[in-house]
């Protein structure tokens, strides 16, 4: 029997000819193909923001001067960072409400409701929507904590002066470059998650009180405080820090709600006593909520529902609820909540009218109370039920809000029309000027109700028009990106067939001169076509990325066209094969697509992996049971390992704290290491273990290394207990504990480089080497998952090793010679065969279970920040994010190390398998590309973006992890029977 290539049996004459030149050609092509893949995915990943989520900021929008008098001289804005609406409004276990002062305001003086935030529910986007009135595009969260990386207008900009105190991560964003501002922040070191952070809120209160006291002795400061359009902003970070550190159900977080209420009461009393004019408006709200596990970022109601209380000058007083003022209008908020969401009975506010708003609506509310123009990029709708004005002034306020949004639409329309060669206008607003004239006529006729309705309709049309121009280029960009992905996948298939299979042809850089001339003509034609399209984009002043999308797509397709001779020969070759080979190829394709679609669906339902591993364990063990004796223990072990791993995707994505479970996991990991060590030294005599075991006498040096690694795992388990216990009891992380944790984690990852080079010994050392940092970053059952994943990876090695050895034993001497003739690159790598597709497919499944085995990492809020508290507690977003991402990557490192070992065991080219992995990833990527949403629930929108981003990024971080793990796996050796057989021949 002859070894079959990826399409069937082939003639292998001439494969060895020109080996040296072929090696050089293939190395060059691999390098530039990897670079091309990284660039292409990086560029195409950005396309969803051009298609769905363009930046809403428009330059050159005219201000609209209000035509009404200001109800208030000054405004106080209190933002309780990370405060959930339910924890603010509901009573405690004793029936007492946590915010008695603000509750009295709701009942006696002001208005209340829920402010609905839009993901990403992070501090910067939340504050931007509150203060500037627009929702930053989702990519804004990646800009870090820079002070206005993109300059935008805000209520603070329009004020006569802004006074602000609070977090060093928020206050400078809005006041750092503002000339007419007085602000101060506490040091970053104050944001320590090991302490009760409520003192941060009291710090802001003390600074404001000191400012008022100082003004009694400073005439200039007193004069500044007495001017109109003054804004006071106090950022209260305590709830956010305590929510992250102790969870929203903790007594510390709930007590912080009382502290926030105390701050609000104190500020109110201070301002009323100081100014004594009742011309101050007060707004209390939050930028985002907090999930039950102490995180935020996605669109879950616990993150998007925040409290809103307004009172003072220009704000209506409480009104009892009735059917006339509380009707369902079919409106949905930005987080997909319906307009008439029922108020929970336990809040005790069901008799008082509740007025919910979108978070961006707060900005025009503040502008209206101060009589200022709305921020120029605000898309917020003025909540009329909050403002206490005459009918005429209320209409003027709504018109001012409408005209500001309309001006944005007109500016966008003008920019697009001036740049487009084939402009398509937004027809519903083609006669907007006549509508404005009609509104003015209705106001002159004192028909305020009709003027109000017409203004609100015009505002709705303007918002629709803004959305129209946000997605103006949608169809063109979708077509270009789709063609680009399809072209990339076809080109990858051609590369794998040319470079890593036994197919022959003029694909190794040795074309005749005539073929080269034809290629030059194709490339010249491609350059002309691409140049013409880019010139069209240039005339339309399209963004630079539009050119990049088109250049990438056309380049790929003209590369494919240049391989037309190979494609033609491939087509002919395929239909010359016997029917059974075509059936095998089609069956492999169908199975591959089925597995990839299964992986796509697993992003939204991680429980699918439970069924997957139950079936895989039973099927693989049954298959092995037919091939090898059950007494070897391998079939039973494979089944048990897969079934054990299947348990974890049934567990909650929100990992509960269980310190004892983490400590116990260390003991389990050590037991697994001891068992693997014993097998590596004693199982080599068994023919089914021969290729992966040491088969040599125990070396004292390696024994010492193994004992050292086991000791470090045990030490890390002890440090998990000590660090957590002390931090919980004493509210601090000891520097001594912190130093030991960093040293153990760093030192343990270096040790595998000095271990034995047999497959089982090296992989066991890697498993033990990455266990200490993973344990120190674990808070619950994910530590057991690490051990379970290691067992399944071992089962994969045993499965592949069994197939490999059975294949060798069943081969005739002619077949062994045939295998030898299929060697590529002049080394021990053979050509890829159709059956080898199983290896990258299994890798894809295991790579994704590393994502979802311990939670839904496809959600932005799935990272458990308390995981880093054994290394750092002082707030440092970049270091904390780096530690969380490193924890996420540790299971990937194990999977890729085993993948590399299996490619060596099977003697197949690892880069060939890498390109197949990328090919399969891109099948998923193009699926997720069409699943990206910009309508509906923002939880679904946020997840659709992260799903697409995760799969798109696989080409990059899989490559990086390949490079990293190559340090550990490049010296791995297996006791293969093939080289010995070749030598005998």
């Amino acid at each position: 029997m002859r070894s079959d290539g990826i399409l069937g049996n082939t003639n292998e004459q001439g494969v060895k000819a020109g080996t040296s030149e072929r090696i050089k050609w293939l190395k060059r092509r691999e390098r530039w193909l990897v670079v091309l893949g990284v660039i292409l995915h990086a560029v195409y990943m950005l396309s969803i923001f051009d298609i769905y989520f363009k930046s809403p900021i428009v330059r050159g929008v005219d201000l609209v001067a209000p035509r009404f008098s200001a109800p208030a001289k000054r405004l106080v804005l209190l933002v309780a960072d990370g405060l959930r609406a339910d924890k603010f409004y509901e009573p405690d276990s004793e029936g007492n409400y946590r915010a008695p002062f603000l509750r009295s305001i709701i009942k006696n003086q002001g208005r209340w409701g829920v402010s609905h935030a839009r993901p990403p529910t992070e501090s910067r986007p939340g504050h931007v929507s509150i203060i500037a009135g627009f929702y930053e595009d989702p990519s804004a969260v990646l800009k870090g904590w820079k002070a206005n990386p993109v300059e935008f207008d805000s209520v603070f900009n329009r004020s006569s002066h802004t006074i602000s105190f609070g977090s060093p991560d928020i206050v400078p964003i809005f006041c750092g470059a503002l000339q007419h501002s007085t602000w101060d922040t506490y040091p970053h070191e104050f944001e320590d998650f090991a302490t009760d952070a409520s003192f941060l809120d009291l710090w802001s209160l003390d600074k404001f009180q000191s400012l008022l006291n100082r003004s009694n002795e400073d005439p200039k400061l007193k004069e500044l405080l007495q001017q109109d359009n003054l804004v006071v902003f106090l950022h209260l970070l305590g709830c956010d820090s305590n929510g992250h550190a102790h969870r929203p159900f903790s007594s510390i977080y709930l007590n912080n709600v009382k502290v926030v209420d105390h701050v609000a009461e104190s500020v109110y009393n201070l301002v009323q006593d100081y100014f004594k004019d009742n011309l101050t408006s007060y707004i209390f709200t939050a930028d985002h909520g907090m999930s039950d596990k102490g995180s935020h970022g996605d669109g879950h109601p616990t993150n998007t529902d925040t409290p809103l209380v307004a009172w003072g000058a220009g704000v209506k007083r409480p009104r009892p609820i009735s059917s006339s003022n509380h009707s369902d209008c079919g409106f949905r908020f930005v987080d997909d909540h319906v307009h008439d969401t029922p108020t929970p009975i336990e809040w005790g506010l069901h008799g008082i009218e509740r007025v919910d708003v979108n978070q961006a609506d707060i900005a025009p509310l503040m502008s209206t109370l101060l009589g200022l123009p709305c921020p120029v990029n605000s898309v917020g709708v003025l909540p009329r039920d909050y403002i206490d004005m005459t009918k005429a002034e209320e209409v003027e306020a709504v018109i001012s809000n409408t005209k500001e949004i309309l001006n944005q639409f007109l500016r966008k329309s003008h920019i697009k029309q001036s740049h487009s060669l084939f402009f398509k206008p937004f027809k519903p607003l083609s006669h907007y000027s006549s509508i404005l004239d009609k509104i003015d006529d209705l106001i002159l006729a004192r028909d305020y109700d009709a003027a109000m309705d017409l203004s609100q309709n015009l505002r709705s049309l303007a918002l629709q028009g803004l959305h129209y121009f946000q997605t103006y280029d949608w169809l063109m960009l979708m077509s270009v990106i789709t063609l680009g992905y399809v072209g990339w996948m076809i080109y990858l298939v051609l590369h794998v067939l040319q470079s890593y299979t036994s197919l022959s042809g003029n694909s190794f850089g040795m074309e005749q001169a005539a073929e080269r001339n034809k290629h030059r003509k194709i490339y010249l034609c491609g350059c002309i076509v691409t140049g013409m399209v880019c010139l069209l984009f240039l005339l339309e002043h399209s963004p630079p990325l539009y050119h990049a999308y088109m250049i990438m797509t056309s380049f790929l397709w003209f590369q494919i066209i240049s391989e037309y001779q190979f494609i033609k020969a491939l087509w002919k070759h395929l239909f010359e094969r016997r029917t059974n080979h075509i059936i095998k190829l089609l069956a492999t394709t169908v199975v591959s697509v089925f597995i990839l679609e299964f992986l796509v669906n697993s992003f939204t339902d991680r429980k699918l992996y439970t069924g997957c591993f139950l079936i895989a364990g039973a099927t693989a063990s049954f298959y092995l049971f037919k091939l090898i004796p059950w007494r070897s223990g391998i079939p039973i072990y494979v089944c048990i390992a897969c079934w054990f791993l299947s348990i974890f995707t049934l567990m909650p994505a929100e990992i509960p704290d269980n310190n004892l479970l983490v400590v116990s996991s260390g003991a389990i990991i050590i037991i697994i290491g001891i068992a693997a060590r014993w097998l590596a030294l004693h199982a080599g005599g068994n023919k089914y273990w021969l290729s992966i075991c040491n088969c040599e006498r125990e070396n004292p040096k390696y024994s010492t290394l193994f004992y050292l690694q086991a000791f470090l795992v045990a030490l890390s388990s002890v440090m998990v207990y000590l660090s957590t216990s002390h931090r919980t009891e004493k509210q601090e992380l000891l520097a001594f504990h912190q130093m030991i944790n960093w040293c153990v984690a760093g030192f343990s990852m270096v040790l595998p480089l000095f271990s034995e080079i047999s497959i089982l010994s090296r992989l066991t050392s890697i498993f033990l080497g990455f266990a200490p940092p993973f344990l120190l970053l674990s808070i619950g059952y994910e530590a057991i998952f690490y051990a379970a994943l290691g067992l399944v990876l071992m089962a994969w090695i045993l499965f592949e090793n069994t197939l490999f050895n059975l294949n060798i034993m069943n081969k005739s001497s002619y077949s062994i010679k045939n295998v030898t003739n299929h060697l590529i690159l002049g080394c021990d790598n053979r050509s890829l065969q159709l059956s080898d597709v199983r290896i990258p497919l299994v890798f894809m499944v295991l790579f994704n279970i590393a994502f979802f085995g311990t939670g839904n990492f496809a959600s932005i809020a799935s990272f458990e920040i308390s995981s880093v508290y054994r290394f750092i507690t002082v707030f440092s977003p970049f270091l904390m994010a780096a530690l969380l991402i490193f924890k996420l990557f540790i299971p990937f490192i194990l999977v890729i190390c085993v993948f590399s070992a299996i490619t060596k065991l099977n003697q197949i080219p690892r880069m060939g398998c890498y390109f197949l992995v990328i090919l399969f990833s891109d099948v998923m990527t193009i699926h997720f590309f069409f699943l990206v949403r910009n309508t509906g629930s923002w939880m679904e929108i946020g997840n659709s973006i992260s799903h697409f981003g995760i799969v798109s990024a696989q080409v990059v971080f899989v490559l990086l992890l390949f490079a990293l793990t190559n340090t550990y796996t490049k010296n791995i050796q297996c006791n293969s029977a093939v080289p010995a057989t070749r030598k005998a021949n």
Side-chain angles (χ1 to χ4, degrees):
M1 184 180 74
R2 303 182 67 191
S3 175
D4 60 333
I6 206 163
L7 291 176
N9 300 335
T10 59
N11 182 7
E12 297 135 12
Q13 294 179 357
V15 171
K16 290 185 178 181
T19 300
S20 177
E21 187 175 350
R22 180 184 173 191
I23 291 172
K24 294 178 182 177
W25 172 85
L26 189 55
K27 294 285 187 185
R28 286 196 306 269
R29 188 169 186 179
E30 280 180 348
R31 280 195 295 268
W32 83 260
L33 195 60
V34 166
V35 172
L36 175 65
V38 171
I39 295 173
L40 180 140
H41 285 80
V43 171
Y44 282 1
M45 196 187 305
L46 297 174
S47 67
I48 63 167
F49 298 110
D50 277 326
I51 296 171
Y52 299 104
F53 306 105
K54 281 188 175 181
S55 173
I57 295 176
V58 191
R59 303 295 180 195
V61 179
D62 296 330
L63 282 172
V64 177
R67 299 186 299 189
F68 57 90
S69 57
K73 285 187 63 175
R74 68 197 68 85
L75 180 137
V76 176
L77 173 64
L78 305 172
V79 178
D81 202 310
L83 177 58
R84 278 169 53 161
D86 58 345
K87 299 304 172 191
F88 174 76
Y89 289 121
E90 71 186 15
D92 58 22
S93 57
E94 298 178 357
N96 299 318
Y97 293 98
R98 302 186 183 98
F101 168 72
L102 289 170
R103 194 169 186 82
S104 68
I105 292 292
I106 292 171
K107 291 184 175 181
N108 302 312
Q109 295 188 47
R111 304 291 269 166
W112 78 284
V114 172
S115 170
H116 298 273
R118 165 177 151 174
T121 43
E122 299 288 344
S123 293
R124 177 193 161 85
H127 282 86
V128 168
S129 61
I130 291 170
I131 300 169
F134 70 92
Y135 304 103
E136 287 192 289
D137 58 293
S139 63
V141 75
L142 304 176
K143 294 170 183 171
W145 302 101
K146 298 177 183 176
N148 292 5
V150 177
E151 291 299 326
F152 53 81
D153 192 21
S154 72
V155 176
F156 294 176
N157 292 20
R158 299 293 152 203
S159 68
S160 61
H161 199 86
T162 296
I163 297 170
S164 180
F165 301 110
S167 168
D169 301 311
I170 295 298
V171 172
I173 293 177
F174 300 95
C175 299
L178 196 63
Q179 297 297 322
H180 55 278
S181 65
T182 301
W183 58 277
D184 195 6
T185 64
Y186 39 77
H188 276 98
E189 292 74 25
F190 281 22
E191 300 177 29
D192 190 341
F193 291 129
T195 63
D196 181 353
S198 58
F199 76 94
L200 299 177
D201 301 343
L202 298 175
W203 183 95
S204 298
L205 172 63
D206 291 342
K207 294 296 290 187
F208 179 62
Q209 186 173 9
S210 299
L211 180 79
L212 294 182
N213 293 336
R214 195 169 69 249
S215 69
N216 293 323
E217 301 173 0
D218 187 343
K220 289 186 177 180
L221 179 58
K222 193 173 187 68
E223 182 182 355
L224 184 148
L225 291 173
Q226 293 294 340
Q227 60 186 326
D228 293 349
N229 300 329
L230 176 71
V231 175
V232 177
F233 168 48
L234 297 188
H235 178 251
L236 311 176
L237 186 65
C239 287
D240 184 73
S241 296
N242 284 328
H244 287 313
H246 310 289
R247 312 297 167 81
F249 289 97
S250 66
S251 58
I252 294 178
Y253 180 92
L254 298 177
N255 182 68
N256 206 145
V257 179
K258 299 178 182 178
V259 173
V260 163
D261 182 71
H262 166 71
V263 171
E265 182 178 16
S266 300
V267 169
Y268 174 73
N269 291 331
L270 286 170
V271 171
Q272 292 297 103
D273 292 342
Y274 185 87
F275 293 103
K276 298 183 176 66
D277 58 5
N278 292 323
L279 291 177
T280 306
S281 299
Y282 302 86
I283 291 180
F284 173 87
T285 187
D287 54 347
H288 56 75
M290 185 76 62
S291 71
D292 290 346
K293 63 178 183 177
S295 62
H296 55 84
D298 65 16
H300 193 274
T302 56
N303 291 332
T304 61
D305 288 359
T306 62
L308 174 62
V309 181
W311 74 100
V315 179
K316 285 181 178 177
R317 300 185 72 82
R319 185 167 63 168
I321 194 169
S322 66
S323 57
S324 61
N325 61 20
H326 194 68
S327 59
D328 184 3
C329 63
F331 174 77
R332 286 181 175 267
F333 295 97
V334 290
D335 60 349
D336 209 37
H337 273 62
V338 295
H339 179 264
D340 242 18
T341 303
T343 300
I345 297 175
E346 59 268 21
W347 290 9
L349 296 170
H350 51 276
I352 305 174
E353 184 182 12
R354 164 182 168 181
V355 184
D356 286 9
V357 300
N358 286 322
Q359 195 172 62
D361 299 344
I362 298 174
L365 173 60
M366 292 192 293
S367 297
T368 300
L369 291 173
L370 289 172
L372 298 171
C374 292
V376 293
N377 290 119
S378 170
V379 293
V381 173
L382 176 64
R384 293 168 48 206
D385 289 327
Y386 276 87
I387 56 173
D388 186 17
M389 306 171 77
T390 64
K391 199 71 175 178
E393 289 184 326
E394 187 177 334
V395 171
E396 290 292 353
V398 172
I399 290 175
S400 178
N401 181 213
T402 299
K403 286 182 177 179
E404 196 62 60
I405 296 174
L406 182 63
N407 282 354
Q408 293 178 64
F409 163 79
L410 295 175
R411 180 61 181 165
K412 279 197 172 186
S413 178
H414 173 74
I415 292 172
K416 182 58 69 174
Q417 184 174 7
S418 62
H419 292 167
S420 298
L421 299 178
F422 310 100
F423 177 68
K424 293 179 290 185
F426 183 66
K427 294 181 180 178
L429 280 176
S430 56
H431 304 293
Y432 72 91
S433 57
S434 62
I435 300 176
L436 289 174
D437 292 338
K438 188 173 182 181
I439 292 172
D440 288 337
D441 292 340
L442 289 170
I443 292 175
L444 290 174
R446 300 182 182 275
D447 191 351
Y448 297 125
D449 290 334
M452 184 75 73
D453 292 339
L454 203 54
S455 296
Q456 291 176 333
N457 290 337
L458 180 60
R459 183 174 60 193
S460 298
L461 287 175
L463 288 170
Q464 293 174 29
L466 284 176
H467 181 265
Y468 172 79
F469 285 113
Q470 285 288 100
T471 59
Y472 187 84
D473 298 322
W474 184 87
L475 181 61
M476 180 272 294
L477 290 174
M478 285 286 286
S479 302
V480 171
I481 301 301
T482 302
L483 285 172
Y485 275 120
V486 172
W488 166 251
M489 289 189 287
I490 293 174
Y491 193 60
L492 271 186
V493 171
L494 295 178
H495 172 70
V496 171
L497 291 175
Q498 288 178 330
S499 307
Y500 303 107
T501 70
S502 55
L503 291 171
S504 58
N506 60 348
S507 57
F508 305 117
M510 296 180 287
E511 302 90 340
Q512 300 297 323
E515 292 297 326
R516 291 179 180 174
N517 288 333
K518 289 181 180 178
H519 286 185
R520 290 193 187 102
K521 291 179 181 178
I522 292 172
Y523 295 147
L524 179 61
C525 180
C527 290
I528 293 172
V529 172
T530 305
M532 291 176 64
V533 176
C534 287
L535 180 61
L536 181 64
F537 283 163
L538 195 64
L539 292 174
E540 293 193 342
H541 299 275
S542 297
L545 277 176
Y546 283 29
H547 299 261
Y549 304 147
M550 181 56 66
I551 291 170
M552 284 283 184
T553 301
S554 60
F555 172 78
L556 286 168
W557 278 100
F558 280 102
Q559 284 288 331
I560 293 169
I561 293 171
S562 69
E563 300 287 351
Y564 71 96
Q565 289 286 10
F566 178 77
I567 297 172
K568 183 179 178 182
L570 186 65
W571 187 263
K572 181 180 178 183
H573 174 84
L574 180 63
F575 284 96
E576 287 176 353
R577 296 299 93 204
R578 291 196 296 258
T579 306
N580 64 321
H581 291 299
I582 297 176
I583 292 173
K584 282 174 64 178
L585 180 62
L586 290 175
T588 303
T589 304
V590 171
V591 170
S592 300
V593 171
F594 175 80
I595 292 174
L596 295 175
E597 287 302 304
F598 164 84
L599 294 177
V600 167
N601 285 281
S602 72
F603 273 66
T604 53
D605 186 7
R606 58 194 286 266
K607 293 180 181 178
L608 289 173
Y609 285 106
T610 298
C612 170
F613 279 93
L614 287 174
I615 295 171
T619 305
S621 60
F622 179 75
Y623 181 71
L624 290 175
F625 185 76
K626 290 175 60 179
L627 297 176
I628 60 177
W630 69 270
R631 291 185 301 276
S632 66
I634 294 176
I636 297 174
Y637 169 77
V638 169
C639 183
I640 293 174
C642 290
W643 285 8
F644 182 36
L645 186 64
S646 69
I647 297 172
F648 291 90
T649 46
L650 293 175
M651 293 185 178
E654 296 181 355
I655 303 173
D657 287 344
N658 194 325
N659 205 33
L660 184 61
L661 191 61
V662 178
V663 175
S664 304
S665 304
I668 296 173
I669 290 169
I670 293 174
I671 292 171
I672 294 173
I674 292 172
R677 174 72 177 169
W678 185 88
L679 289 171
L681 294 173
H682 299 95
N686 189 316
K687 59 186 177 181
Y688 301 114
W689 295 76
L690 176 65
S691 301
I692 62 174
C693 290
N694 193 11
C695 300
E696 296 179 0
R697 287 191 311 170
E698 185 173 359
N699 189 319
K701 179 182 74 171
Y702 295 135
S703 296
T704 304
L705 180 66
F706 172 77
Y707 295 139
L708 177 58
Q709 288 191 289
F711 169 75
L712 290 176
V713 175
L715 179 59
S716 64
S717 298
V718 173
M719 292 308 301
V720 165
Y721 177 78
L722 292 177
S723 302
T724 307
S725 300
H726 189 276
R727 182 179 61 83
T728 304
E729 294 173 5
K730 304 295 184 181
Q731 298 293 307
E732 64 174 341
L733 174 64
L734 282 178
F736 179 65
H737 289 170
Q738 190 177 19
M739 182 185 68
I740 293 177
N741 293 341
W742 278 103
C743 292
V744 168
F747 183 58
S748 66
M749 292 185 292
V750 178
L751 294 179
L753 297 173
F754 305 99
S755 63
E756 295 165 284
I757 58 176
S758 64
I759 288 180
L760 188 55
S761 296
R762 176 55 64 91
L763 292 179
T764 302
S765 183
I766 293 170
F767 173 73
L768 292 175
F770 282 93
F774 195 82
L775 289 173
L776 290 167
L777 288 167
S778 297
I779 62 167
Y781 71 79
E782 76 269 37
I784 300 286
F785 170 79
Y786 181 85
L789 181 63
L791 293 175
V792 167
L793 292 174
M794 182 65 199
W796 186 24
I797 295 171
L798 293 177
F799 183 84
E800 291 292 341
N801 184 55
T802 301
L803 294 184
F804 177 73
N805 283 284
L806 287 172
N807 192 37
I808 294 299
M809 289 187 293
N810 293 334
K811 294 270 186 193
S812 63
S813 60
Y814 178 81
S815 299
I816 294 295
K817 185 178 180 181
N818 194 47
V819 171
T820 305
N821 287 337
H822 273 77
L823 296 178
I824 64 173
L825 298 180
C827 61
D828 286 344
N829 285 337
R830 59 172 173 81
S831 300
L832 284 174
Q833 301 171 12
L834 188 59
S835 59
D836 294 326
V837 172
R838 76 180 181 279
I839 295 174
L841 282 174
V842 173
F843 171 81
M844 290 288 294
V845 174
L846 292 172
F847 198 79
N848 280 275
I849 194 68
F851 259 118
F852 298 107
T854 58
N856 181 15
F857 282 106
S859 168
I860 195 172
S862 292
F863 295 105
E864 188 57 67
I865 196 169
S866 60
S867 299
V868 305
Y869 290 165
R870 299 182 190 107
F871 291 96
I872 182 174
T873 56
V874 176
F875 181 64
S876 176
F878 298 109
L879 179 57
M880 287 178 166
L883 287 170
L884 289 170
I885 292 171
F886 175 66
K887 176 189 175 183
L888 174 64
F889 275 10
I890 288 176
F892 296 159
I893 291 172
L894 293 187
V895 174
I896 291 179
C897 285
V898 173
F899 176 74
S900 300
I902 287 174
T903 58
K904 289 200 174 189
L905 178 67
N906 285 279
Q907 299 175 317
I908 56 177
R910 191 173 70 154
M911 283 304 295
C913 285
Y914 165 74
F915 286 126
L916 287 177
V917 167
I918 299 309
L919 173 65
F920 293 147
S921 294
D922 283 329
V923 174
M924 298 171 61
T925 301
I926 200 168
H927 190 140
F928 282 123
F929 179 67
F930 286 103
L931 292 179
V932 174
R933 302 180 57 184
N934 67 345
T935 57
S937 164
W938 261 95
M939 186 173 187
E940 295 172 347
I941 293 172
N943 283 344
S944 71
I945 296 171
S946 58
H947 293 169
F948 173 75
I950 287 168
V951 181
S952 296
Q954 281 190 7
V955 67
V956 179
F957 65 75
V958 169
L959 181 66
L960 293 175
L961 290 174
F962 264 116
L964 174 64
T965 57
N966 189 56
T967 309
Y968 294 97
T969 60
K970 64 181 178 182
N971 296 325
I972 285 182
Q973 292 182 2
C974 55
N975 300 313
S976 174
V978 173
T981 309
R982 287 206 308 271
K983 185 176 180 181
N985 287 336

